[in-house]
Amino acid sequence: SLASGFLAIVVTALGSALQGAVGFGLGPLGAPLLMLIDPRLVPGPLLLAAMILTVLMTKRDWHGVRFRDLGWAIPGRIVGTAAAVVFLGAISTDRLAAVVGLLILVAVALSATGLRLALTPRSLLGSGAVSGFLAPLTSIGGPTMGLVYQHERGDVVRGTLSAFFIVGTVLSIAGLRVAGRFGVEEVRLALVLMPGVLAGYLLSGPAARLMDRGWLRPAILATSALAAVLVVAKYLFR
């Protein structure tokens, strides 16, 4: 209906603005809300809409992209996505997401107390793999990468994560296609979300500049915690 389409665009705009400012957020914020509006919008259409957003963000923050980091994170994403395709339909994704959500909350709490997760090839490879596994199953692949980058500069966070998510989203969509869960209908529904993506991206410019004044790390932790709470709540109140 017209009302549900408008609500979907508003949700996508808010999620896109958040991701454009922080580096991630459209998936964890958009997925549970879009599922309530129209289950067909998740995961395929949302993933395609998110890919367009990440292309725009990568172009904007190209100077911050760390290609050496991508050399470790992307292979991890490939392995994780391949594992997700194998398990797609064979496990309870709601239960998995709830467990992951609790683990993310623990990670956020530890980070808030001062524990620092080192940005190393091992952590990039592991975070990339976890992100790749979770994205097509639960749409919460962003926080695992965000927590690794929480101490980096804003342009590095947004640029590198966006470039990573472009590759990762293509892999996730390909995995859904192989599993028979992505086709012409998903593309059509993604087009419905595009006004929200563009509006959110335009709003994210001023928000990103605000984040870079010392608010980015708190925003990463808050967005990760919000993502975790949403997926746990979805499992508890289904």
Side-chain angles (χ1 to χ4, degrees), residues 4-5 7-9 12 30-31 33-49 139 185-186 188-193:
S4 61
L7 282 175
I9 289 171
T12 306
L33 298 177
L34 290 175
M35 180 68 75
L36 292 174
I37 295 169
D38 187 342
R40 298 177 301 164
L41 295 170
V42 181
L46 178 59
L47 282 171
L48 183 55
S139 298
E185 179 64 8
E186 281 70 27
R188 184 188 70 80
L189 290 169
L191 291 175
V192 173
L193 302 177

Side-chain angles (χ1 to χ4, degrees), residues 98-227:
V99 172
V100 171
L102 290 173
L103 292 176
I104 290 174
L105 283 175
V106 171
V108 169
L110 291 174
S111 297
T113 62
L115 182 67
R116 183 163 183 160
L117 179 61
L119 187 63
T120 64
R122 182 178 296 179
S123 66
L124 287 167
L125 188 66
S127 297
V130 174
S131 176
F133 183 74
L134 294 176
L137 295 177
T138 66
S139 298
I140 55 170
T144 58
M145 291 295 294
L147 289 172
V148 173
Y149 277 92
Q150 63 180 286
H151 296 282
E152 304 304 310
R153 289 196 330 264
D155 60 331
V156 172
V157 175
R158 291 185 294 269
T160 306
L161 290 190
S162 296
F164 171 78
F165 290 143
I166 289 175
V167 177
T169 305
V170 169
L171 291 171
S172 295
I173 290 174
L176 290 173
R177 177 67 176 170
V178 170
R181 295 181 59 184
F182 190 90
V184 175
E185 179 64 8
E186 281 70 27
V187 174
R188 184 188 70 80
L189 290 169
L191 291 175
V192 173
L193 302 177
M194 283 311 301
V197 169
L198 296 175
Y201 172 72
L202 293 175
L203 290 170
S204 72
R209 290 190 289 274
L210 176 64
M211 291 297 106
D212 292 346
R213 295 172 186 164
W215 291 98
L216 184 59
R217 182 170 179 265
I220 288 175
L221 295 179
T223 303
S224 299
L226 174 64

Side-chain angles (χ1 to χ4, degrees), residues 73-86 125 128-130 132-133 171:
I74 289 175
R77 179 88 183 208
I78 293 171
V79 172
T81 302
V85 172
V86 172
L125 188 66
V130 174
F133 183 74
L171 291 171

